[in-house]
Amino acid sequence: MTALSKKKILGTVWDYVVLTFSMVLYSIAWGCFMVPNNFIDGGLTGLCAIIQFATGGLIPLSASYFVLNALLIVAGFIVLGKGFGVRTVFCILVSSACLSVIPDMEFLHSTEGHFFYVKESVLLPIIAGMLEAVAISMAFSRGGSTGGTDIITLIVNKYWPVSPGKVFLFTDFVIVTSLLFLPGKTFSDVVYGYLTMISFAFVIDYILMGRKSTVKVLVFSVKYAEIADYIISMDRGVTVVKAMGWYSKQDRDMLLILIRRSQLHELTEKIKQIDKNAFVSVSPASGVYGEGFDEIKTGIKRKKKNKE
């Protein structure tokens, strides 16, 4: 076995370890915080519950959940690739097993006298949403998903520049709001659902999009050439712009840089080392497309028929 193949095998094993842990964390969010306190969130499970009520029990939750997840897995397999399908099936199996066990562990419930008890009930949906977001983010990063609206989100995000949080927010908003039409549910149940989905959407965007976010950096320094050379060594481009200081009426060379936010600390530290008197301006940049950044997404490309 070559070193490369061994590394690949170990990488795959690690991916599945992370996927397993993420599904356990996801199940804790539901089994320890949501279920024991009778909270309802969006997602495919909420949709299936609505179908069951709407059909008077003719279509049970378990049946619609299985069928819809199967259809979505096929769609994800076609659009996102083979690895996605296999890992998503794995995640669904692991999360199903955990959700059948964890809710029965009463000592872990977020209820009075138990381990995860939180006195302020309004914090429970926020905590649950955050745990769900962390779990889903971990699964996404390893090519997996819990199925349901997660698959819809990945498919949409492949073709359109819409953040995962916004897709989740829209789908969950529709599902949670529809709780008002179900017997026995009140407006307070909907509000708790809103808190969960807002917490979830905010945290998943922060995790998934945080490292991808880009910043624009303007640097004014007499040692601009040395700074520019270092930026090239970071595999980032830099543009020298001719400028003039209006106070001094002197021509200056300004550096225009676009880098990932995760690289900003490294860059500013180096600028400080090279020229402690350098003037640096940092501002967020959105919609940066091209080599080294994001791909332009304009939707699904349609094949044009050749006119005879």
Side-chain angles (χ1 to χ4, degrees):
M1 182 182 293
T2 64
L4 184 62
S5 60
K6 184 177 181 181
K7 184 178 180 180
K8 185 177 180 180
I9 292 173
L10 290 175
T12 301
V13 171
W14 176 246
D15 286 345
Y16 279 91
V17 170
V18 174
L19 289 173
T20 301
F21 177 77
S22 68
M23 292 303 98
V24 172
L25 189 63
Y26 178 81
S27 302
I28 288 175
W30 276 94
C32 298
F33 291 90
M34 299 292 288
V35 175
N37 291 283
N38 297 315
F39 292 153
I40 299 177
D41 194 7
L44 186 64
T45 306
L47 177 61
C48 293
I50 292 171
I51 293 175
Q52 177 174 311
F53 278 100
T55 59
L58 182 64
I59 303 177
L61 186 150
S62 57
S64 59
Y65 183 84
F66 176 80
V67 172
L68 292 176
N69 244 332
L71 292 174
L72 288 171
I73 287 173
V74 172
F77 180 85
I78 295 171
V79 176
L80 301 170
K82 183 178 178 181
F84 168 84
V86 172
R87 297 188 181 201
T88 296
V89 171
F90 175 80
C91 287
I92 291 173
L93 293 175
V94 173
S95 60
S96 298
C98 292
L99 285 171
S100 65
V101 175
I102 292 178
D104 294 331
M105 298 179 178
E106 293 188 9
F107 67 94
L108 291 177
H109 288 181
S110 181
T111 53
E112 189 171 358
H114 295 129
F115 185 76
F116 285 122
Y117 173 63
V118 177
K119 186 176 181 180
E120 295 77 10
S121 60
V122 72
L123 294 178
L124 295 176
I126 297 175
I127 295 172
M130 292 173 65
L131 290 176
E132 284 185 77
V134 171
I136 297 300
S137 299
M138 292 173 65
F140 277 7
S141 69
R142 302 293 169 170
S145 163
T146 56
T149 51
D150 300 358
I151 300 176
I152 297 174
T153 299
L154 288 178
I155 292 174
V156 171
N157 193 244
K158 180 177 180 179
Y159 295 107
W160 287 276
V162 182
S163 71
K166 289 181 180 178
V167 180
F168 279 122
L169 197 62
F170 176 77
T171 55
D172 287 354
F173 177 81
V174 173
I175 293 171
V176 172
T177 302
S178 61
L179 292 175
L180 289 172
F181 299 98
L182 300 181
K185 295 300 177 183
T186 63
F187 183 68
S188 63
D189 295 313
V190 175
V191 171
Y192 279 123
Y194 287 159
L195 286 175
T196 305
M197 72 181 197
I198 291 172
S199 171
F200 176 84
F202 177 82
V203 175
I204 199 169
D205 265 356
Y206 180 82
I207 296 174
L208 292 182
M209 306 301 288
R211 290 186 62 83
K212 287 187 175 182
S213 63
T214 305
V215 293
K216 178 175 67 177
V217 183
L218 301 179
V219 180
F220 295 86
S221 171
V222 294
K223 298 182 179 180
Y224 71 93
E226 188 177 348
I227 296 173
D229 288 339
Y230 181 78
I231 294 168
I232 295 299
S233 71
M234 295 174 65
D235 291 327
R236 286 299 176 196
V238 56
T239 301
V240 180
V241 180
K242 294 296 181 181
M244 182 178 71
W246 194 248
Y247 179 79
S248 63
K249 300 297 190 297
Q250 293 181 351
D251 291 333
R252 301 285 297 275
D253 290 298
M254 178 186 72
L255 300 181
L256 172 60
I257 312 144
L258 291 171
I259 61 170
R260 294 296 189 190
R261 187 178 296 274
S262 57
Q263 297 177 297
L264 181 60
H265 178 72
E266 176 188 351
L267 176 61
T268 53
E269 282 291 313
K270 190 63 179 180
I271 291 174
K272 185 178 179 180
Q273 292 176 14
I274 296 174
D275 181 7
K276 64 179 181 179
N277 295 318
F279 180 84
V280 180
S281 173
V282 180
S283 59
S286 60
V288 180
Y289 305 107
E291 185 177 354
F293 291 94
D294 298 326
E295 177 186 356
I296 297 177
K297 301 175 183 178
T298 57
I300 300 174
K301 296 180 179 178
R302 297 180 180 178
K303 294 181 179 179
K304 296 181 179 180
K305 294 182 179 180
N306 295 326
K307 295 182 179 180
E308 297 182 354

